[in-house]
Amino acid sequence: MGGVPKGATAVSLNVTVTNPHEAGHLTVHPSGQATPTASNLNFTTGQTVANSVIVPVGPDGRIIVRNGSWQPADVVIDVNGYYTPDSNAAYVPAHAIPTRHFDTRKDGKPLAARDYLPLLGRPGVEAYVLNTTVTTTIGDGFLSVAPDPNSREQYENGTATPPARPVASNLNWTAGKTVAYLVQAPPAQGGMVAFWNQGWEDVDLIVDFFGHYGTD
């Protein structure tokens, strides 16, 4: 599943539901176990909504996604990463409380439509844990958070080249809505992450830093 190797004990996923025919919920759980009563994602008729899910892997290496409504819905699953007993990285919190890393509202320059914003750039990070919020939404759209192969130095000296536009979404919104989403974002080698506005209207982006996975 999505490049997850044998021996993984859990996976980090972005789970999206779209085109649901009625209101309901999704429950994600390990295979071989009874479906729990808790839900991972709740939706209304016709809504597109995503949530971050960390779920253990069953003995056969599989997970189960259960649609709790009585009508069909489309489900999209993106793999952010996985956990194994051999991993050397551990979660390192940023501070006693999360910190505001970036806010486009401060300088009045929203994230332009169909454009991206490179952020972070810390060396030695396996993945960042961020709360990402989109607001001042004029139209519908979605946000993609993906590794950026450029370094901070390349952006500073003008030698950076735009990374490939990702096809997976992390956060979906409709016009006028403010939507927040917990993102576990693996960077490229230089530690940079690109935040893509995949909508056709400018939006405001807010990024709060919770911590990271690393060996320090």
Side-chain angles (χ1 to χ4, degrees), residues 5-135:
K6 284 186 71 174
T9 55
V11 288
S12 172
L13 309 171
N14 186 70
V15 180
T16 305
V17 65
T18 190
N19 302 320
H21 291 197
E22 70 172 21
H25 65 275
L26 294 184
T27 301
V28 187
H29 64 93
S31 64
Q33 295 186 10
T35 303
T37 56
S39 64
N40 295 95
L41 186 154
N42 299 271
F43 51 86
T44 57
T45 305
Q47 186 181 22
T48 297
V49 61
N51 199 12
S52 178
V53 175
I54 298 176
V55 58
V57 176
D60 59 356
R62 302 168 66 113
I63 62 169
I64 302 297
V65 181
R66 182 180 184 275
N67 178 6
S69 75
W70 294 99
Q71 295 292 331
D74 289 320
V75 176
V76 183
I77 298 179
D78 302 312
V79 178
N80 297 319
Y82 52 86
Y83 299 84
T84 72
D86 300 326
S87 174
N88 293 321
Y91 176 66
V92 181
H95 299 284
I97 58 174
T99 58
R100 174 84 15 115
H101 179 75
F102 189 83
D103 188 343
T104 59
R105 300 172 300 177
K106 277 191 171 183
D107 56 13
K109 295 181 180 179
L111 177 55
R114 309 300 294 170
D115 202 359
Y116 77 99
L117 181 69
L119 291 176
L120 301 164
R122 302 187 180 197
V125 170
E126 296 288 335
Y128 299 101
V129 181
L130 312 165
N131 191 68
T132 304
T133 303
V134 168
T135 189

